[in-house]
Amino acid sequence: VNSVNALRKNGAFLYKSLFCFCYLDVCASFAAVLASFRGTVQHGLPLEIGDTVQILEKCEGMVLVLYTSYVEGIFPSSYIHLKNAHVKNKGQFETVIPDEDSVITEMTSTLRDWGAMWKQLYVKNEGDLFHRLWHVMNEILDLRRQVLVGHLTHDRLRDVKQHITARLDWGNEQLGLDLVPRREFSMVDPDEISVTELYRLMEHRHRKKETSTPASTHHLFVHVKSLMSANLGEELEVFFHIYDGRENRPLSERFFVRLNKSGLPKSPEKTERQCTLFVDLGSSDLRKDVYIVVHIIRIGRMGAGEKKNQCNVQYRRPFGCAVVSIADLLTADSKDDHLLKVYTCNTESEWSQIHENIIKKANSRYNLSGSNTGLAVALQLLHGDIDQLRREYMVLFTRGVSITRKLGFSDVIMPGEMRNDLYITLEKGEFEKGGKSVARNVEITVYVLDIDGQILKGHVAAGSGEPSVDEYHSLVLYHNNSPRWGDQIKLPIPVDMFRGSHVRFEFRHCSTKDKGEKKLFGYSFVPLMQEDGRTLPDGTHELIIHKCEENTSLADCSRYLKLPFSKANLPSNNQTLKGTKESFWITSFLCSTKLTQNGDMLDLLKWRAHPERINDSLSKLKEIDGSEIVKFLQDTLDTLFGILDESSQRYGLKVFDSLVHIINLLQDSKFQHFKPVMDTYIESHFAGALSYRDLIKVLKWYVDRIVDAEHQDHIQQVLKASEYIFKYIIQSRRLFSLATGGQNEEEFRVCIHELFMSIRFFLSQENKGTTPVAQTQAVFLRTFPAIYSELLKIFTVREVAGFVRETLGSLPTTVHPDCPLEAVKLQCIAKTVESQLYINPESRCILLPVVLRVLQAHMQEQRDLVMCAQILSSMLSLIKKEENGTEPVVSEEVELIVESLLGVLLRTILEISNRPQPAGTSMRLQFQDVTGEFVACLLALLRQMSDKHYQKLLQAFSSKDDLRVRPRHLSLFPSIHICLVIITTVLYLSDVWDSYFYLSVIFINQPCLQLESFSPSKRKKILEKYGDMRVMMGCEIFSMWQNLGEHKLNFIPAMIGPFLEVTLVPQPDLRNVMIPIFHDMMDWEQRRSGNFKQVEAKLIDKLDSLMSEGKGDETYRELFNSILLKKIERETWRESGISLIATVTRLMERLLDYRDCMKLGEVDGKKIGCTVSLLNFYKTELNKEEMYIRYIHKLYDLHLKAQNYTEASYTLLLYDELLEWSDRPLREFLNYPMQSEWQRKEYLHLTIIQNFDRGKCWENGIILCRELADQYESYYDYRNLSKMRMMEASLYDKIMDQQRLEPEFFRVGFYGKKFPFFLRNKEFVCRGHDYERLEAFQQRMLNEFPHAIAMQHVNQPDQTIYQADAQYLQIYAVTPIPDSQDVLQRDGVPDNIKSFYKFNHIWRFRYDRPFHKGTKDKENEFKSLWVERTTLTLIQSLPGISRWFEVEKRELVEVSPLENAIEVIENKNLQLRTLITQCQSRQMQNINPLTMCLNGVIDAAVNGGLARYQEAFFVKDYIMNHPEDGEKIGRLRELMFEQAHILEYGLAVHEKFVPQDMRPLHKKLVDQFHLMKSSLGIQEFPAYVRASPVHFTNGSPRTCRNSVPSIISPDGGRGVARRSLFSYPAVNRYSSSSLSSQASNEVSNITGQSESSDEVFNMQPSPSTSSLSSNHSASPNVTSSAPSSARGSPQMAEKHKHSRENACLSPRERPVSAIFPNPLDPAQVSTHIHLHLQIQHSNMPFIAIVHMPAPSSWSLDSVKEGMPHSSDSGGRMLCPPKILHLVSNSPVLSGSYSSGISSLSRCSVSEASGTEFPTGDHPPHQLPPPTTLPNSVSSSSDEPIRRENKTPPPYSVYERNNPRRPVPLPHSLSIPPQTDPPALPPKPHQLRTGSMKLDGTADPRVPRPRPLPRKVSQL
């Protein structure tokens, strides 16, 4: 590819535009694509790298005409590379197989699959695996290149292939791909291998990976870095060796490193002198008491502190020692640098023991060499044999490393290993003073001399790492006549030079005075070999020190070699030398593969020289060490058989015993590698042609003695060696036959037959328990299978099979469980089955009966199942191999196995499957192995069975119960082709219908058949080879189902779930086959019971569980719906069937949406909304209570995860309301324990209260606290009652003390078909998160729906958007319209309390959009400024179980410019009144809000705001053109005068409280106010204004609670409550002005920053009107303040269109939001209501009548307050003066004052609720006022019904007594009215009894929801 890219850059791919095209039938060749080609030219064929193409024709060398997958085309010839290949399975799914190594082909396809997945790793941010896979892919490509070049040797090619396959398997495992079964690095062909072999290959791989065998050989790598010390200045010698602290001996030779004066290696360029490998350490050497010991020797002056003098002689002197435990390296996987502390001995005489003292921590004998002294080395333990290390650490050996050997041989001695090393340790010496006054400084010089007395050059080594030298100088211990050196040297002397060589030790005194001379004063020597050929014995030798002078010549060694060298060898008469005190001790150790120190071995090998010693030598052979025997193995065997040939009668038995000893010696693990040496000897060097007679004779003699012998030990040793004894017998007979031409053949056969008769006799002995004879039988059976191959060299296959059958058949049949012979017998059978004898078909038919008999007995007893599985697996694999051969023989063998083992095999599988798995890891792996292997055997056997075998099998079963087999472990077997077996197998199990269907469903759903989850290449291979087997099995199921007839009813509804699971498999053909079965089930169920409720119930139950597992898709839903609808078209029960199908289809829609949403990571609105949709579906449509409750808790968990605590409380309240305060027991369910209903409800109450508390919805928590307190009180549980009251009190405190954020509300429209079902083409209102404004909310929604398009207008979309195949989001902010007004109307209620009622239990929301109707007056825009007001009504109130609810109804009205002006001034007047009241009552901390409000109004009025209204509406033209607005014009005039009056009063209050620094501003306001009056033409207020001063109270908030500022009418006593399209009750939250002057804008900005006072927001002008502050026309932004809908409005000019930025602003932030007023606040309505409500314009349309609630909704607590009432002549109730503020939507007039219950319930009547009646019409029915309640308010008004078609939510705490939504009153939140209510002030809660009549009957006009069955009590 790189070369192609390079060529492309150079322009080599330019090709002609002339193309030739033709079709040829001849296949020329195949090619692989090198580079991707887009195919943009005419007839061009687009190709990707790696595609295979077939060439048809080549044109002018540039363009190819070719086809691939039956698609023809052309492209440049340079893009491909020709390859030789052959085609397999020609056709649609043909496979092109290149003619190359299979490993190369696999590499190519695997890398292609990895390429796509590798990119996905980057996308998924799996960086680690991404980079590792990248390195592995590059490594594989490099290895592939090496293989393709073809220059590798055979061994190297094998290693490369092994490395490639290991990397391929690693990558496949990491990526979750299939692992490939291999043999010799190549993929196996499943058609050429049996099922059992395939299983064994895969299990072997897993077992090899899971239970890796620890290496038995270990090596220590040492790299010397440097010695750090402050006292350096001399060269150093460092010696490493491994030391056994337990036995106090070295385990290895020494590693020697020279350091320079700086402490660095002296030869840094030669790494082999710095690094070494201590090899052949056994596992027993890795102990804590094995150490690495380092001795450091300095080369220099005698004293380390001596001053430099004339003496230049260098001495080897002690420096220090370091020790580290080898156990510390076991955890280090890499080469770690270690800094070893260096110690020195306190006294030099203890130098040889310093390492022992350090190990023993004898601190008094050593100390640190220095605080800064340390030896830096790298140490690493390596594992495996040395050849493996050379492959894995090639760089290490290439760079150079010395090998440091172990003292002695390794744990395993390999044949051919050559070694001849003599190790000598200079232990100690005893010397005389020699006339000196002080002790000597002794140095030893060591030489090795040959037989001629010449010094052997380079045969003295101080250690590995440094080359050998001619002589060695010991270290010098200062003034010590008894020195202990401990120096070890190695003498690598060749074997041929050992004889006659000796070692000489010269002793010299090193003087420190006489110029450092070294004076010779003695010598010692030791010969290396004795006269008889034995080498120097291992051990310590005391050598004689022969005295001499300095000038003594030792060149003639013949002089002293005649002298004695050791005191141990001195004759007894030589007392002179024995009495000398001077001695020298050495220790020698020989490690040689050629020399021996054993005299007995030499005597045996030289038996001809001393025939009289033969008997003794044979007897002593057993005492000789095994390493000595294997060194001379061939010579020893020649000696034994030589003795046997010459003296068989005399020495035959002893030679046989010696041969048995040697054979058994090779069974030892240490010498087992010498077995090939003996095999080679037998085949090539053995010459005993007559030995077979004696061997057979002695062997039979031993066998005949077995039964009678008391001691069986020796006989057992003989039988252990029987394999090699038979090898010698057979080879001897072959040599004899070869030499004699086959003489005595019959005699030999007779001897063998007699031998086997003796064997069968002793094997037939029955023994109980572990008797000696039984143990001997077991020993023979272990070795018996090894004899088969030897017998086959002489006897025929049938003869040997007869021997084996008769021998194994002679074993006792009685089974004793405690007898070990049974297990050994099975092992013998296993080896027999695996032997070459059993592989031969001729012998197999002879051996099979005896093998099956033993196997059947063990499987029936459930003993040794692992071995049984292995035997059966081997048997069946052999049958597979012969399948294409002799068919009759195979059929007979299969028939025998089926008759003997099939039944017991099936029972065994079922029994072991039902057993609990063992606890241990090894036992569990063994359990899994045997289960899977038995299943593999069953599959292999079923695959071999023919129809005849199945028929015989079915006839053999006595009952149908025997056929009930459910092999659950099919999934354990990974091979896909074995599944074909099941298709044929189940045909013969059709009598057992349920088992058949169960097995078929398992087959279809097994993972290995789910082709959709595979890569395209793998899927293509499977389809090409096997087809889709799921469809085949589906057709079989359908066929069997049709054959059931009327018996189908027995499988309904049991088989609905399994069949549904099959239809959910994403295979269209399978679904088309299986879905009609459900129609059949519905039909039969209809016939039986007249309905199909069982089918419906089972379908619904299974759908939820199956789809939650990820099964099913949208295609399945459509297919299910279409197929079944078509099937039932002509059925009589068509209607009910359609209903069922529709229900199931809708459930699928919701389940699919739910599943898709749950795939997302974080909790978002989609998850919650989808769960709510599904939850409601289960409740309302399916009435599935248990599923309903499950999804309640799923929704609850989602809310908790998202920290939506209020919504979580409402959600859990759904379940709470289903429970009652009863003692009925409830079963364990979900996470709830078994408990009573009362306990569970109590727990739910407490949980809900806690979540209400966390969500700051304390008012709702108080209701539940009271309910729970009532329960505690009824049970006299005062302890918990006290706690509950305290909790309730704490919630009250939190209401008053803690701040609550005011949420924003947003309307969201989801348009387009791409949205989930529960959102599609619907609009919702969502409650925003804390601090979330429109921009943040819009961004969040776009993040949740990343493919959605944000709409830039607020107009309702057309059908094109609805039906678009996309996602459109329409978002804008809306204003809530609260229903609870009684609290909001009161002036003295704190803002903390009001804030709850403003934003909770909201059903309706409003949105205003300004527009100009008619001609726009540029001088005064107010003349044509209309407002389009949209009111949205939800299906459920917010907050609830979700943060958003669907919009149920939209209402659209238009507000005229005059009405708009009235609303603006009313709102501003109310705001002023509120601020003035707060200032008077000192509720405000400072006066700034009042100051800014006064400044804004006065400044705006002076600059022309009110004047604009006067110009617009008070002119003659307007009055003449709009006569119907006369009253409104009068109302506007009144409000303007009233505003001036309020401002005057406000300025007076302001003057009273204004600080001194703000007096100038106050003066300015007063001056401007006079200008305002004059501009309005007001010289003096009208009489009715002067007579009715502004009603402000100066008392406390509590005293003014019932006082509401009222607007005084001109006649002083009447006020008209006007109600029309433009007046809606609302709490006005937002204020902003776009018509104000610069000054008022500044004030408005100040006001916007002061948000601490709720009144500033709540009473500001609505966003739909001007603040009357501008004396010029409105800016363009005024008319475009609606969210971006105005941009596309045809009624507005282009210059007034919004930008998208303004469209995203919330009402509070929009620049002209003050233009659009909120509906009339109910608090304002109360200010308009007077003592008598008179309707002056009865014929005026849409005039609302103010109705009071019906008496049926009143509380009995109203008797506590005497309130007069009156009615008009029409029976309508007139409001008493003192309860004007109670005209609200509360159904309980006095409940909020006396009963202490929060007014959380929905409003039911009043004009504030939006309920309207036509003018003059009476309510539908009336109740007479109660006469039994004195001083109570009566009314003839009833309760108008609103939203009658809605299903009331059962979870709203607030909505429970909404009379317009009657629902059975839940006991969880119903509190009985209290007869003795608390005193004022009122509590913020209300009785929830408004939904019931006083007579206990519910309103019949309201439809009841579908009731839930009471079985919920069990949940």
Side-chain angles (χ1 to χ4, degrees), residues 108-311:
T108 305
S109 61
T110 303
L111 287 175
R112 193 174 302 159
D113 291 339
W114 286 6
M117 303 182 73
W118 177 62
K119 298 173 185 175
Q120 291 301 316
L121 291 176
Y122 185 83
V123 174
K124 296 176 182 177
N125 200 24
E126 298 184 22
D128 182 49
L129 183 56
F130 174 82
H131 290 290
R132 284 191 294 162
L133 189 64
W134 180 71
H135 287 295
V136 171
M137 291 168 70
N138 283 331
E139 184 180 4
I140 293 175
L141 285 172
D142 182 62
L143 295 174
R144 180 177 182 271
R145 193 177 301 111
Q146 296 181 32
V147 175
L148 287 175
V149 169
H151 294 165
L152 299 177
T153 64
H154 185 271
D155 292 339
R156 177 59 183 162
L157 181 62
R158 179 184 176 86
D159 293 341
V160 169
K161 286 185 177 181
Q162 183 177 4
H163 194 71
I164 289 172
T165 54
R167 291 294 182 265
L168 291 177
D169 292 342
W170 176 88
N172 287 335
E173 184 177 9
Q174 293 295 319
L175 295 174
L177 300 176
D178 292 334
L179 297 181
V180 180
R182 307 179 186 280
R183 277 183 176 169
E184 293 296 324
F185 319 122
S186 300
M187 299 171 59
V188 298
D189 187 349
D191 293 332
E192 302 297 329
I193 191 173
S194 70
V195 181
T196 53
E197 285 180 296
L198 196 59
Y199 179 82
R200 192 172 289 181
L201 281 175
M202 297 305 297
E203 279 303 304
H204 175 71
R205 166 179 293 177
H206 291 303
R207 193 63 59 244
K208 184 178 180 181
K209 180 176 62 178
E210 293 172 1
T211 57
S212 57
T213 55
S216 59
T217 307
H218 313 276
H219 316 275
L220 176 64
F221 175 77
V222 178
H223 180 198
V224 180
K225 302 291 184 65
S226 64
L227 177 70
M228 293 178 289
S229 176
N231 301 324
L232 294 181
E234 296 174 328
E235 294 184 358
L236 301 174
E237 295 177 351
V238 184
F239 294 90
F240 293 81
H241 71 277
I242 298 177
Y243 183 81
D244 189 341
R246 182 188 302 172
E247 300 182 7
N248 293 328
R249 67 179 183 88
L251 294 178
S252 73
E253 62 186 36
R254 294 192 174 195
F255 169 56
F256 176 26
V257 181
R258 294 183 186 273
L259 302 181
N260 58 25
K261 295 181 180 180
S262 301
L264 299 175
K266 201 169 184 181
S267 303
E269 70 283 355
K270 298 179 180 180
T271 56
E272 69 274 6
R273 297 194 179 185
Q274 309 162 34
C275 306
T276 190
L277 202 64
F278 287 88
V279 297
D280 297 332
L281 299 178
S283 299
S284 60
D285 297 329
L286 303 183
R287 306 191 311 267
K288 192 174 182 179
D289 51 5
V290 175
Y291 301 88
I292 303 168
V293 174
V294 186
H295 286 100
I296 304 174
I297 307 297
R298 62 179 179 86
I299 310 298
R301 296 179 295 278
M302 185 68 67
E306 288 182 1
K307 294 182 180 180
K308 203 167 186 179
N309 52 25
Q310 297 178 354
C311 176

Side-chain angles (χ1 to χ4, degrees), residues 1665-1680:
T1665 63
S1666 167
S1667 62
L1668 313 177
S1669 56
S1670 178
N1671 57 1
H1672 50 78
S1673 61
S1675 66
N1677 286 335
V1678 173
T1679 59
S1680 58

Side-chain angles (χ1 to χ4, degrees), residues 315-328:
Y315 304 103
R316 299 180 70 246
R317 297 280 291 143
F319 181 82
C321 178
V323 176
V324 60
S325 173
I326 205 168
D328 298 339

Side-chain angles (χ1 to χ4, degrees), residues 599-667:
D600 296 330
M601 175 60 71
L602 290 175
D603 291 341
L604 179 63
L605 295 178
K606 298 176 181 179
W607 63 278
R608 294 185 185 276
H610 302 282
E612 70 280 1
R613 300 182 185 175
I614 292 178
N615 199 23
D616 293 338
S617 298
L618 290 174
S619 300
K620 293 179 179 178
L621 181 64
K622 297 180 181 180
E623 301 174 3
I624 299 176
D625 183 69
S627 61
E628 296 293 327
I629 295 176
V630 297
K631 282 193 291 187
F632 307 100
L633 182 60
Q634 183 176 339
D635 297 336
T636 305
L637 292 173
D638 286 338
T639 298
L640 292 179
F641 286 106
I643 295 173
L644 185 63
D645 287 343
E646 292 190 7
S647 306
S648 61
Q649 296 295 329
R650 183 176 181 182
Y651 302 115
L653 187 60
K654 284 205 170 188
V655 170
F656 185 88
D657 290 345
S658 299
L659 184 62
V660 167
H661 172 72
I662 294 175
I663 293 171
N664 289 331
L665 181 67
L666 301 187
Q667 307 294 335

